Amino acid sequence: MTSVRDFRLEFLGTGTSAGVPCIGCDCPVCRSDDPRDRRLRCGAALRFIDSTGDPRTILIDIPPDHRQQALRHGLDRCDSILVTHAHVDHIFGLDEVRRYNTLMRQPIGIHAEPQVLEALHRIYPHIYAKHRNVNVSYVADLFDVELRPGHPILLHGLRIEPFRLLHGRLPILGFRIEAADPDGLPLPEQPAPLPAAWCTDVSAVPPESWPALRGLSTLVLDLLRERSHPTHLDLDGAVELAGRVGAKRTRFVHMSHELGHAELASRLPDSMAPAWDGLVIS
Ligand SMILES: [Zn+2]
Ligand SMILES: [Zn+2]
Ligand SMILES: [Zn+2]
């Protein structure tokens, strides 16, 4: 059966909202020589060949560092964007996607919940109401696609299931990603590293979302720091949750400067590790 092939999950950024190093900080992690301790804001690219043989790139979130990330990873197209929530560290790179419009000569679908799309329209009037710009200007060309938790979509041969996560009191989205047949059903044999789930900025998984975390090859999970935090998982909480999910491998993201890569990696169970900017799982 035809399916996606050469699937790559590329970690464009694995840092918390302030990035690592933090401005004006001289802690050991911010001064570290280990390149894995340099973390841009959190986002990913799903890159693969679709069933018709065309290359595809789907972005998860569009952080303020997107330009730098795109150059580092050699991104030259963007077929769709999935947005988890409308916090600054996840959406303030949206201006940069105009380059993909130029390269591909087509608009880009931005997939998010209605309240997130509303926020984008409010924050980016120069993109969404470009007729009001004083000068004709070079801005992104986007179209909205509404997502609802529990309602999977078919994107370029991938089945993407948005599911509910709690970011403190804020409801946001996680995504389950797997290869699909032409009817949009998951293929029985998934290419590595699928099925995968992307769960950033999470403090709790509500009961209705647990089925979306079944049988994962790859879990990507928030792990802010060792100390507890009201809107993110701490070290114990993230390890406990990852253990309950039981994915073949778990990679942690959205880490602050309180976590050094090497030291954290040495303390985690075998199937778990911190991700790092530039990591590719294929
Ligand atoms: Zn965040
Ligand atoms: Zn620091
Ligand atoms: Zn957030």
Side-chain angles (χ1 to χ4, degrees):
M1 185 179 287
T2 54
S3 174
V4 305
R5 60 185 166 84
D6 302 342
F7 183 93
R8 295 160 61 88
L9 169 59
E10 303 193 3
F11 291 78
L12 306 185
T14 60
T16 190
S17 58
V20 182
C22 304
I23 293 173
C25 184
D26 63 355
C27 79
V29 176
C30 287
R31 284 187 290 108
S32 162
D33 292 332
D34 186 337
R36 297 169 304 177
D37 284 329
R38 307 189 84 78
R39 304 179 185 125
L40 298 174
R41 269 63 68 86
C42 201
L46 314 176
R47 301 174 82 178
F48 55 98
I49 308 295
D50 74 11
S51 58
T52 63
D54 288 325
R56 297 290 184 181
T57 300
I58 299 172
L59 298 177
I60 302 180
D61 289 335
I62 190 84
D65 303 309
H66 183 73
R67 176 177 171 277
Q68 194 181 343
Q69 296 169 338
L71 294 171
R72 180 188 280 174
H73 283 254
L75 301 187
D76 57 2
R77 63 180 300 124
C78 171
D79 296 280
S80 300
I81 302 169
L82 304 168
V83 184
T84 59
H85 66 303
H87 281 166
V88 165
D89 53 322
H90 298 260
I91 60 166
F92 267 41
L94 193 58
D95 258 329
E96 309 298 352
V97 307
R98 60 191 178 160
R99 275 295 301 160
Y100 305 119
N101 293 130
T102 302
L103 292 165
M104 300 172 67
R105 299 198 182 130
Q106 63 190 47
I108 299 169
I110 183 147
H111 299 67
E113 290 190 276
Q115 68 273 22
V116 171
L117 294 170
E118 267 174 49
L120 293 174
H121 282 246
R122 193 175 66 244
I123 292 162
Y124 291 102
H126 66 286
I127 292 178
Y128 288 99
K130 54 169 82 85
H131 58 281
R132 293 207 204 121
N133 293 346
V134 175
N135 292 311
V136 174
S137 45
Y138 178 31
V139 299
D141 185 7
L142 307 169
F143 63 92
D144 292 348
V145 184
E146 285 190 7
L147 294 179
R148 281 188 297 152
H151 292 261
I153 57 167
L154 186 60
L155 261 189
H156 320 297
L158 292 183
R159 181 185 192 270
I160 312 270
E161 180 183 347
F163 58 90
R164 179 60 73 221
L165 294 174
L166 293 174
H167 182 15
R169 292 187 303 192
L170 182 72
I172 73 160
L173 290 180
F175 299 109
R176 180 185 175 98
I177 302 144
E178 52 205 323
D181 69 17
D183 296 322
L185 297 171
L187 290 173
E189 301 235 341
Q190 292 286 318
L194 302 177
W198 185 267
C199 304
T200 189
D201 294 58
V202 52
S203 51
V205 177
E208 71 270 21
S209 299
W210 280 92
L213 296 170
R214 275 195 205 127
L216 291 177
S217 174
T218 307
L219 171 66
V220 180
L221 188 62
D222 186 358
L223 195 186
L224 181 69
R225 63 187 191 189
E226 186 140 7
R227 294 176 297 130
S228 70
H229 188 278
T231 66
H232 291 272
L233 290 169
D234 58 29
L235 176 58
D236 288 346
V239 168
E240 197 263 335
L241 202 153
R244 278 175 70 192
V245 171
K248 222 184 284 173
R249 70 166 82 78
T250 299
R251 295 295 177 265
F252 295 112
V253 295
H254 216 286
M255 292 165 287
S256 86
H257 65 151
E258 294 180 34
L259 296 171
H261 185 99
E263 200 267 336
L264 174 61
S266 71
R267 296 163 62 195
L268 291 170
D270 277 351
S271 63
M272 303 180 199
W276 40 275
D277 290 25
L279 172 65
V280 175
I281 304 181
S282 59

